[in-house]
Amino acid sequence: MFSAQSLILRIPKRALVTRFPIHSSHLRGCTAVSRRQAHQIRNMSHSQNPQDEQAQNGSKFSHLPLSTSGPLECALKGTVLLNHPYFNKGSAFTKEERRDFALHGLLPPHIQSLEQQVQRAYEQYCSQPNDLAKNTFMTSMKEQNEVLFYRLLHDHLDEMFSVVYTPTEGEAIQNYSRLFRRPEGVFLNINDMDSVKRDLAQWGKPEDIDYIVVTDGEEILGIGDQGCGGILISIAKLVLMTICGGIHPNRVLPVVLDCGTNSEELLKDDLYLGLRQKRVRGEKYDEFVETFVKAARELYPRAYIHFEDFGLDNARRLLERYRPQVPCFNDDVQGTGCVTLAAIMAGLHISKQKLSDIRMVVFGAGTAGVGIADHVRDAIAADVDISPEEAGKQIWLIDKPGLLTTKSESLSDAQKKYAKSYDDWADKKTDLLAVIKEVKPHILVGTSTKPKSFTGEVVREMAKHVERPIILPLSNPTKLHEAVPEDLLNWTDGKALVATGSPFGPVKGPWGKDGKEIEIEVAECNNSVVFPGIGLGSVLSRANRVTDKMLMAASKGVAEMGPALKDDTAPLLPGVNVVRDVSVRVARRVILAAMEEGVVEEKDVPTKEEDLDEWIREQMWDPVYRPLKYVEGNKASRGAKGDLRVLGNPNDVE
């Protein structure tokens, strides 16, 4: 989680999953589907002809610039159209579109549906020999037909998530220079700072870009310094923003800040594509980041900047520097904190406790651990109207030397806020078990990457003092988890409320009434259920900052949709299978909080929740084919000309 690559159906905009016609052939493939599941999926179908149905439905928000209602204007024809991934439909172009867009003779005669294309693509996907080959296949599809790529991913998200993101994307990043076929995104060079603005300016006009993901490649998905290969994490994060949050894929920009690399393996690799030098730090590094942020804001003033996988020393520092100035977000610092707070909120609902009552121990005081502590601290402070400093007294951080105290060495400014008085602990042990005995916490969070550190002794000690302990082993990958759910539930007689950093299957045990065997589903603390909604809400409202209250609202939005609120054997958090519904809820909460904070710049944003949800859904891009409407080039918008994310003229930059 913290460690670690057109078109729309206008039914009144419900969740994406309920709007797609599913054919029986679509239910065959790599993943087994039960008869009950197949029946449920077929019942989701609303139409066998999406384009006809779209024409019969409308929206009161169809006038919005990002509206996804009605035909899609296009000024491209022939092979130019077929080679444009945003407009290309391949074999699904209708008879009328083939006539109007000069496609006769360029396609086989049989017209297929998107569902048939997905079936064929899924069979091709399943034929790949390993996950890395599947990742490469998906990248190739994205470069040819974005709707088909995202539709295939949507329909098999549970199965494909680990292929297009961690852990397989990490392997693709490690092999970036060896698998390289064609570039995507912006490569900025720390030794050529004078060209930063020019290089960014090529990607559009001020109104063209909504979302930027930028990395310096130093701390990628738990695999460390990957240099310029980090561009793939920016691309992968934007894929998640589109599939989970509905951000339009032609209005995003992936960026890598190439500052060199400290990876000896990359520096010695003759095929490595990045700067062959040690990573630059200090004043020159800060100047480079400042140059990028300033240029991005000048060129794309409506864009939201998402910092991703920066090194530990820079992630929080840069976030704190730029948060007061621009709408920006760091998933490693804030996303992890938000989703963990959501899991805690859901758990407290079950245990019938309040935030003001809790004591929390965080085992692992790095970027993620401190970020989680910050979010919980701020939530406690807001809940009972006390200062963050006072709320921080309810949180204990443990790192390699033990509990953080005022005598601990080399503490960061962020860690110092949680350091306990040395005098209070001078005569006490400060290891995890000793702290558990002394503090008697309600919540135990693991971000240590120290496997099996939540031992039976530690967990049983915690359970002595708390009826429903909330235990969150979040280290990734799975082999680094502090404990596995089966052990946690066995050690607590099924009473632990568990969420993990990686997916785990359900656990069975004799924990029901009169010793009856029950099955408990384990939630995954997946940032992808929270950061897309935060970004979506911020983009649509054109928030000029992302405030603490907006982040807290996002956590509440996720927690509200936790299945465990209705059944305590269900997961604490919603899964990626309903992520677009979750993103709408989170975006709503974020926008309402942004209104209260006075940071919304978009005009005429609805204030009623029902209208606001429709307003949000109307502007979310979905992977379904919209009818294409031909427009002459001299009457066409930049979008219709296919110019979004297509290089412009750098001479336009003053």
Side-chain angles (χ1 to χ4, degrees), residues 306-327:
H306 177 138
F307 294 105
E308 183 69 22
D309 286 345
F310 281 72
L312 296 179
D313 294 337
N314 292 318
R316 178 175 293 276
R317 182 176 65 86
L318 293 175
L319 180 65
E320 291 179 351
R321 177 175 182 177
Y322 291 109
R323 277 191 78 195
Q325 306 173 32
V326 303

Side-chain angles (χ1 to χ4, degrees), residues 106 112 171 196 212 263 300 321 482 652:
L106 300 179
Q112 294 187 308
E171 187 178 355
V196 166
I212 298 171
S263 169
Y300 309 114
R321 177 175 182 177
E482 289 79 7
D652 291 340

Side-chain angles (χ1 to χ4, degrees), residues 339-366:
V339 73
T340 306
L341 176 57
I344 290 170
M345 288 176 167
L348 293 177
H349 178 88
I350 296 169
S351 64
K352 297 180 172 56
Q353 292 176 300
K354 298 179 181 179
L355 275 169
S356 57
D357 300 330
I358 64 108
R359 295 179 298 278
M360 181 173 79
V361 170
V362 180
F363 186 62

Side-chain angles (χ1 to χ4, degrees), residues 76-150:
L76 308 180
K77 285 188 173 185
T79 56
V80 176
L81 174 56
L82 293 176
N83 289 326
H84 199 292
Y86 186 76
F87 290 112
N88 182 28
K89 299 184 182 183
S91 59
F93 281 106
T94 66
K95 179 179 179 180
E96 294 76 18
E97 288 169 341
R98 295 180 184 216
R99 178 196 65 212
D100 296 343
F101 292 91
L103 297 175
H104 284 299
L106 300 179
L107 293 165
H110 182 65
I111 297 171
Q112 294 187 308
S113 67
L114 177 56
E115 290 69 41
Q116 290 172 316
Q117 291 180 320
V118 169
Q119 178 189 348
R120 178 172 57 244
Y122 187 53
E123 291 175 357
Q124 293 170 350
Y125 172 89
C126 291
S127 72
Q128 303 304 310
N130 54 55
D131 284 349
L132 184 58
K134 290 176 179 177
N135 177 282
T136 302
F137 170 81
M138 294 295 285
T139 297
S140 178
M141 178 178 294
K142 179 172 175 284
E143 293 169 351
Q144 299 172 54
N145 183 332
E146 287 187 331
V147 171
L148 181 55
F149 165 80
Y150 283 109

Side-chain angles (χ1 to χ4, degrees), residues 42-195:
R42 289 192 190 98
N43 285 343
M44 291 177 183
S45 175
H46 289 284
S47 170
Q48 294 300 315
N49 194 332
Q51 295 188 5
D52 287 349
E53 181 157 349
Q54 176 181 324
Q56 298 170 10
N57 290 276
S59 167
K60 61 182 176 183
F61 297 115
S62 59
H63 63 284
L64 296 170
L66 294 180
S67 168
T68 51
S69 290
L72 188 66
E73 292 188 345
C74 178
L76 308 180
K77 285 188 173 185
T79 56
V80 176
L81 174 56
L82 293 176
N83 289 326
H84 199 292
Y86 186 76
F87 290 112
N88 182 28
K89 299 184 182 183
S91 59
F93 281 106
T94 66
K95 179 179 179 180
E96 294 76 18
E97 288 169 341
R98 295 180 184 216
R99 178 196 65 212
D100 296 343
F101 292 91
L103 297 175
H104 284 299
L106 300 179
L107 293 165
H110 182 65
I111 297 171
Q112 294 187 308
S113 67
L114 177 56
E115 290 69 41
Q116 290 172 316
Q117 291 180 320
V118 169
Q119 178 189 348
R120 178 172 57 244
Y122 187 53
E123 291 175 357
Q124 293 170 350
Y125 172 89
C126 291
S127 72
Q128 303 304 310
N130 54 55
D131 284 349
L132 184 58
K134 290 176 179 177
N135 177 282
T136 302
F137 170 81
M138 294 295 285
T139 297
S140 178
M141 178 178 294
K142 179 172 175 284
E143 293 169 351
Q144 299 172 54
N145 183 332
E146 287 187 331
V147 171
L148 181 55
F149 165 80
Y150 283 109
R151 177 64 178 274
L152 175 64
L153 179 57
H154 170 272
D155 287 358
H156 301 279
L157 188 56
D158 281 341
E159 176 185 352
M160 295 182 177
F161 192 93
S162 63
V163 170
V164 300
Y165 197 56
T166 181
T168 309
E169 186 66 14
E171 187 178 355
I173 292 169
Q174 288 178 302
N175 288 279
Y176 176 72
S177 294
R178 295 184 173 275
L179 295 176
F180 181 83
R181 293 181 180 177
R182 57 183 297 180
E184 181 178 357
V186 187
F187 299 81
L188 300 179
N189 184 338
I190 195 168
N191 297 328
D192 191 16
M193 275 190 256
D194 291 341
S195 299

Side-chain angles (χ1 to χ4, degrees), residues 266-284:
L266 292 178
L267 290 173
K268 293 176 182 178
D269 187 348
D270 291 339
L271 294 181
Y272 177 59
L273 292 167
L275 288 176
R276 295 174 176 274
Q277 64 182 48
K278 289 290 187 178
R279 184 169 286 277
V280 176
R281 302 194 185 280
E283 185 176 334
K284 185 176 180 180

Side-chain angles (χ1 to χ4, degrees), residues 632-643:
E632 296 289 345
N634 59 355
K635 299 178 182 178
S637 66
R638 283 174 47 75
K641 293 177 182 178
D643 285 346

Side-chain angles (χ1 to χ4, degrees), residues 203-253:
W203 292 86
K205 301 298 182 183
E207 67 279 4
D208 289 349
I209 303 297
D210 289 330
Y211 205 105
I212 298 171
V213 175
V214 59
T215 185
D216 69 355
E218 185 174 5
E219 192 62 43
I220 301 290
L221 294 175
I223 57 175
D225 192 340
Q226 298 299 315
C228 79
I231 189 66
L232 291 187
I233 195 60
S234 295
I235 293 168
K237 214 71 176 189
L238 288 169
V239 165
L240 297 186
M241 278 306 307
T242 293
I243 197 65
C244 300
I247 295 294
H248 293 230
N250 61 338
R251 300 182 59 83
V252 302
L253 193 59

